[in-house]
Amino acid sequence: MALERTFSIIKPDATRRNLTGAINAKFEEAGLRIVAQKRIHMTKAQAGKFYEVHQERPFYDELCEFMSSAPVVVQVLEGEDAIAKNREIMGATNPADAAPGTVRAEFAESVGENSVHGSDAPETAAQEIAYFFSGIELVG
Ligand code: UDP
Ligand code: MG
């Protein structure tokens, strides 16, 4: 295992319900360190670029509307095996399938409004971090 960084978003359904601290507590309790974090309100075009890998999927337009509907918290999480560890803390995409104790099991409202995003591989983590943060903003 190596020290890794992954990219995370606390989504609009969670910021609306004032869950930023509760979700961050789960990351920190599991040993991930928040090494960069900011609250932003994306335009639909910015959300569309971020999710462009999904542009052919039927839920793409609704997803981009949702992600630009309210502020989000974008963050970089660091730790041993951070990418896989964060996916475990998040739980399955659909909260109905998410393991007990995961963020999505506890907080997600639906498969679309599912409280958190987390990178799925080292390449996407690097790309996603670079989309939102400059090097000087990453403070390990
Ligand atoms: N999504 C959706 N409907 C679906 C599948 C996904 O609205 O049937 C949304 C959901 O917000 C999800 C995001 O699209 O988090 C990206 O999908 P992905 O398959 O990458 O899931 P994730 O990596 O977030 O678990
Ligand atoms: Mg994904």
Side-chain angles (χ1 to χ4, degrees), residues 42 45-50 126-133:
M42 278 190 273
Q46 288 168 337
K49 177 83 181 146
F50 177 71
Q127 275 170 19
E128 292 173 1
I129 290 169
Y131 187 59
F132 289 100
F133 292 98

Side-chain angles (χ1 to χ4, degrees), residues 4-48:
E4 256 180 358
R5 285 178 173 175
T6 191
F7 176 72
S8 166
I9 305 179
I10 300 177
K11 294 185 177 183
D13 66 284
T15 62
R16 270 193 201 111
R17 288 175 290 149
N18 215 21
L19 292 170
T20 298
I23 292 172
N24 279 345
K26 286 199 175 285
F27 295 144
E28 293 186 340
E29 280 159 16
L32 294 178
R33 180 174 295 274
I34 301 163
V35 298
Q37 176 168 257
K38 58 192 173 189
R39 186 172 167 105
I40 62 170
H41 191 152
M42 278 190 273
T43 64
K44 191 174 175 185
Q46 288 168 337

Side-chain angles (χ1 to χ4, degrees), residues 11 51 54 57 59 63 87 90 92-93 104 111-114 116-118:
K11 294 185 177 183
Y51 276 120
H54 294 305
R57 310 278 290 277
F59 56 80
L63 177 61
R87 298 289 307 192
M90 289 163 61
T93 308
R104 284 166 165 170
V111 65
E113 306 206 0
N114 59 2
V116 280
H117 165 84

